[in-house]
């Protein structure tokens, strides 16, 4: 039996159970018995610690997300493929994309419709699938971005959808009307990445062009002015082309 961290070998025992020893950051040793399964998920504590998952919270499908977290979020705790691929959080709400479906789940604060579920039900205590303007589940999502009280989804065809508060035009819908359903941003195509600040939004196109809209009181959109409300996407950065995007 290898004692990990220092190369020391041996067969440590604890209450009759064999295991291995982990070297902690403070140079102390922790004995992890192989035969104990504290959370009862069928994976012994030792294997869970080696895999980086918690031995104290059941993870039946071994995808790194605990069963309790998956149940709360609305994903299948027995399916290793049904777990988040993209996740983003605002001041009080969260969006994420499970691996298999391409749908988006949202939970948390929703008083402004920022979860995009077709209602202002508030708060959402577990994951609810978001919807488009037709009231049907939005599919094909590949990325999400979240501001203070607005949310955005990038679809696999390069189109962008927005929901939530819109007092500064941060949804990019050419108006300041809020919506609780994800609505396609007109004229915005071939997008490959999104980012959101509190009340403004950035998008990055496949040609390297960046777009910005929303609150602009201190020129954070980079559009050459400080016009407070920019309700439609506009090119930012002049003739420059971008390779990274953050807000």
């Amino acid at each position: 039996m290898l004692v990990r961290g220092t190369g020391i070998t041996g067969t440590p025992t604890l209450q009759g159970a064999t295991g291995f020893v982990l070297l902690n950051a403070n140079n102390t040793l922790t004995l992890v018995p192989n035969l104990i399964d504290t959370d009862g998920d069928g994976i012994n504590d030792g294997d869970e610690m080696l895999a980086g998952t918690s031995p104290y919270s059941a993870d039946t499908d071994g995808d790194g997300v605990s069963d309790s977290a998956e149940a709360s979020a609305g994903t299948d705790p027995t399916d290793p493929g049904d777990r988040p691929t993209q996740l983003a959080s605002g001041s009080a709400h969260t969006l994420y994309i499970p691996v298999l479906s391409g749908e988006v789940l949202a939970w948390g604060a929703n008083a402004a419709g920022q979860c995009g579920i077709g209602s202002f039900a508030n708060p959402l205590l577990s994951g609810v699938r978001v919807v488009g303007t037709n009231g049907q589940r939005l599919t094909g999502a590949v990325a999400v971005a979240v501001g203070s009280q607005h949310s955005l989804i990038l679809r696999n065809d390069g189109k962008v959808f927005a929901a939530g508060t819109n007092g500064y035009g941060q949804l990019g819908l050419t108006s300041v009307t809020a919506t609780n359903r994800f609505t396609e941003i007109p004229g915005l195509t071939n997008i490959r990445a999104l980012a959101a600040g509190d009340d403004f939004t950035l998008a990055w196109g496949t040609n390297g062009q960046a777009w910005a809209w929303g609150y602009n009181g201190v020129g954070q959109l980079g559009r050459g002015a400080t016009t407070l409300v920019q309700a439609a996407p506009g090119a930012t950065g002049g003739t420059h082309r971008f390779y990274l995007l953050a807000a």
Side-chain angles (χ1 to χ4, degrees):
M1 180 64 68
L2 174 66
V3 179
R4 297 185 176 273
T6 63
I8 302 171
T9 59
T11 307
T13 60
L14 178 62
Q15 298 176 350
T18 61
F20 64 86
V21 172
L22 290 174
L23 179 64
N24 300 315
N26 61 0
N27 292 322
T28 60
L29 298 177
T30 299
L31 176 63
V32 184
N34 280 336
L35 304 182
I36 294 179
D37 179 16
T38 302
D39 56 18
D41 63 359
I43 306 172
N44 67 60
D45 291 4
D47 287 343
E48 290 217 56
M49 291 191 74
L50 284 176
T53 57
S54 171
Y56 308 110
S57 181
D59 179 18
T60 303
D61 54 17
D63 63 358
V65 183
S66 72
D67 291 358
S68 59
E70 292 213 53
S72 176
T75 55
D76 185 349
T78 66
D79 184 351
D82 193 15
R83 56 182 169 79
T85 55
Q86 292 278 334
L87 183 146
S89 294
S91 60
H93 74 293
T94 300
L95 265 64
Y96 85 89
I97 309 171
V99 166
L100 296 181
S101 68
E103 297 178 348
V104 178
L105 285 86
W107 65 89
N110 188 45
Q114 60 263 52
C115 287
I117 63 168
S119 78
F120 295 100
N122 180 59
L124 303 178
L125 301 183
S126 60
V128 179
R129 256 69 177 184
V130 309
V131 299
T133 52
N134 60 1
Q136 302 300 307
R137 291 180 177 179
L138 193 66
T139 60
V142 294
V144 290
V146 175
S148 177
Q149 291 186 316
H150 75 291
S151 307
L152 299 111
I153 295 173
L154 174 61
R155 203 167 63 180
N156 54 14
D157 58 2
K159 295 181 179 180
V160 179
F161 299 77
T165 193
N166 195 31
Y168 296 106
Q170 56 264 55
L171 301 186
L173 302 177
T174 70
S175 75
V176 291
T177 302
T179 178
N180 59 25
R181 297 183 178 188
F182 277 92
T183 303
E184 183 181 345
I185 298 177
L188 202 61
T189 59
N190 298 316
I191 300 302
R192 64 188 303 177
L194 298 170
D198 281 350
D199 297 306
F200 69 98
T201 308
L202 303 174
W204 179 33
T206 55
N207 64 351
Q209 176 67 62
W211 304 85
W213 60 95
Y215 180 73
N216 191 44
V218 291
Q220 55 266 64
L221 302 186
R223 291 170 54 170
T226 55
T227 305
L228 187 64
V229 174
Q230 297 281 5
T236 183
T239 60
H240 297 289
R241 293 296 179 265
F242 297 84
Y243 298 94
L244 290 173
L245 190 69

